Amino acid sequence: MKRAIISADDFGLSAEVNEAIEIAHRDGLLSTASLMVAGPAFDDAVERARRLPDLRVGLHLVAIEGPATLPPADIPLLVAQDGQFPSDQLRLGVEYFFRPSVRRELAAEIAAQFEAFRSTGLRLDHANAHKHMHLHPTVGALLIEIGKKFGLQAVRVPLEPLEPLYAAGIYTDTLGDAALRRWTALLRHQAREAGMITNDWCFGLAWSGHMTPSRVAALAAHLPEGVSEIYFHPATSKNALISRLMPDYEHEAELAALCSPGFRAGLAHSCTRLIGWNDLY
């Protein structure tokens, strides 16, 4: 059986992202969004989610290149005075793994992000991490351990199989892609040991920011058996923040893809049923 969860990341990053998520849910195939609880447009995202009762919302944990929830004085080893996590993935990875003092601050920040989500009154549908930082064994373990206390039941595993990408269009595999696929086994093991649900496959990595209507229609027609999460980064337009963080992303094209007849036709062609995480609990 082929099943698909259609989702969007960065809910709460900006009003343009939030508006696109609302449009894609109302007029397209989007069922699920992942919320950045310290995002600049967090309040706007929560307001929209409350008036969209069928939109399933989870936590988009930020542990790299984004705003923290706790004040900088509480987590001085994690963030600068502006409250932003750095972008240096290698340095962060080493410190998260080897420095107990950093891990303690990271645990406190992760708990604060789950608490901020709970304060919205929204049901916690799932969790993942910005830039898939939960593939790091320390971040993944803390997300699962702390999330379980807040009712977390589902975690994204970003395992993207090669065959559908080759069938859907031009794609070149890299050593980095291969390494990423190997790391997903640990995250899946961590989640399942905690009794949590995971997806089988995930699409949106290789073409991140470039999930255009034609690509998505072709991909949908070649989905594998099992549960696939297909995630997007839609926005109605680029503002200064989006342009700085994701200068080459085609946000408006991703919104168009979510609402395109070709995407819907591709899913029908592959006999794929649309579901949400809660259908797997």
Side-chain angles (χ1 to χ4, degrees):
M1 181 184 298
K2 298 180 181 182
R3 293 174 289 174
I5 299 167
I6 312 300
S7 65
D9 286 354
D10 298 342
F11 197 29
L13 178 65
S14 75
E16 293 84 355
V17 171
N18 297 349
E19 183 180 10
I21 287 173
E22 180 171 357
I23 292 169
H25 175 64
R26 187 184 65 234
D27 301 334
L29 296 177
L30 185 74
S31 67
T32 305
S34 300
L35 178 66
M36 302 175 75
V37 296
F42 165 73
D43 290 335
D44 176 70
V46 173
E47 180 182 344
R48 292 175 192 268
R50 286 174 176 162
R51 67 171 183 255
L52 299 169
D54 294 329
L55 179 66
R56 303 167 176 110
V57 182
L59 175 66
H60 193 51
L61 179 75
V62 175
I64 185 173
E65 198 179 82
T69 303
L70 292 173
D74 291 353
I75 47 173
L77 301 177
L78 292 185
V79 300
Q81 284 302 307
D82 62 0
Q84 297 284 318
F85 281 93
S87 302
D88 189 339
Q89 194 167 33
L90 177 59
R91 180 174 70 82
L92 280 176
V94 170
E95 293 197 344
Y96 287 165
F97 193 82
F98 288 106
R99 295 185 62 188
S101 56
V102 173
R103 289 200 301 273
R104 285 192 291 271
E105 290 190 6
L106 178 62
E109 171 62 22
I110 290 174
Q113 291 190 34
F114 274 106
E115 184 60 53
F117 188 99
R118 181 162 66 182
S119 73
T120 67
L122 301 172
R123 179 181 177 182
L124 180 63
D125 181 70
H126 64 276
N128 53 56
H130 189 48
K131 295 189 173 294
H132 294 124
M133 197 65 181
H134 61 314
L135 283 173
H136 187 288
T138 301
V139 180
L142 289 172
L143 180 147
I144 290 165
E145 175 188 352
I146 295 168
K148 194 167 186 178
K149 299 173 184 177
F150 288 84
L152 180 64
Q153 298 184 69
V155 175
R156 173 194 292 167
V157 174
L159 175 58
E160 191 167 42
L162 297 178
E163 291 78 8
L165 299 178
Y166 289 133
I170 298 173
Y171 174 67
T172 302
D173 197 28
T174 68
L175 289 176
D177 296 332
L180 183 69
R181 289 194 296 273
R182 293 186 67 86
W183 275 110
T184 61
L186 176 58
L187 176 61
R188 193 182 303 279
H189 174 74
Q190 289 173 317
R192 290 185 173 175
E193 281 289 295
M196 294 187 184
I197 296 296
T198 65
N199 52 304
D200 297 306
W201 315 108
C202 184
F203 295 96
L205 285 83
W207 298 331
S208 183
H210 307 284
M211 298 283 279
T212 58
S214 59
R215 278 181 166 171
V216 168
L219 174 65
H222 294 93
L223 289 177
E225 296 290 324
V227 176
S228 298
E229 183 183 8
I230 309 174
Y231 75 95
F232 295 78
H233 296 90
T236 53
S237 62
K238 284 182 179 287
N239 63 11
L241 176 62
I242 295 174
S243 296
R244 178 171 60 83
L245 294 176
M246 296 165 278
D248 66 331
Y249 274 29
E250 299 175 79
H251 291 87
E252 293 168 75
E254 295 214 358
L255 171 57
L258 282 161
C259 299
S260 68
F263 188 19
R264 193 181 297 272
L267 293 169
H269 176 80
S270 62
C271 299
T272 300
R273 182 164 66 89
L274 296 180
I275 63 168
W277 286 106
N278 61 322
D279 294 312
L280 303 172
Y281 298 163

